Amino acid sequence: SQGPISGVNKDIAVLQCHGDCDPLVPVMFGSLTVEKLKTMINPANVTFKTYSGMMHSSSLEEMMDVKQFIDKHLPPID
């Protein structure tokens, strides 16, 4: 069983991405998920990005946002 989120994990940064035309996982479910996440960890560290016209797939814009998020939150590898 999982206990409550505590310690350093409360401050983890989360990027959640969702296409607003996803036919498999409606964007409303993404919104509900992000609101639940904000009750579990520091809400200031939760980012929800939607992509206009994107279905259950990915896009260059989304991948650039993921890259930017990783570059911001992970130390560089020498």
Side-chain angles (χ1 to χ4, degrees), residues 42-62:
N42 183 347
N45 294 343
V46 178
T47 302
F48 183 51
K49 296 202 79 165
T50 59
Y51 300 87
S52 179
M54 193 170 84
M55 298 182 73
H56 194 71
S57 60
S58 185
S59 70
L60 182 58
E61 182 185 2
E62 181 187 26

Side-chain angles (χ1 to χ4, degrees), residues 9-71:
N9 291 331
K10 278 253 189 220
D11 288 318
I12 193 167
V14 172
L15 171 63
Q16 183 178 329
C17 302
H18 211 114
D20 69 359
C21 292
D22 189 330
L24 295 180
V25 183
V27 70
M28 182 187 76
F29 291 172
S31 298
L32 292 170
T33 300
V34 85
E35 290 311 312
K36 179 64 176 174
L37 261 176
K38 287 179 177 181
T39 71
M40 300 168 71
I41 63 176
N42 183 347
N45 294 343
V46 178
T47 302
F48 183 51
K49 296 202 79 165
T50 59
Y51 300 87
S52 179
M54 193 170 84
M55 298 182 73
H56 194 71
S57 60
S58 185
S59 70
L60 182 58
E61 182 185 2
E62 181 187 26
M63 290 299 99
M64 294 306 293
D65 289 339
V66 169
K67 180 187 182 310
Q68 189 175 43
F69 178 82
I70 290 170
D71 288 345

Side-chain angles (χ1 to χ4, degrees), residues 1-5 40:
S1 85
Q2 296 243 0
I5 296 172
M40 300 168 71

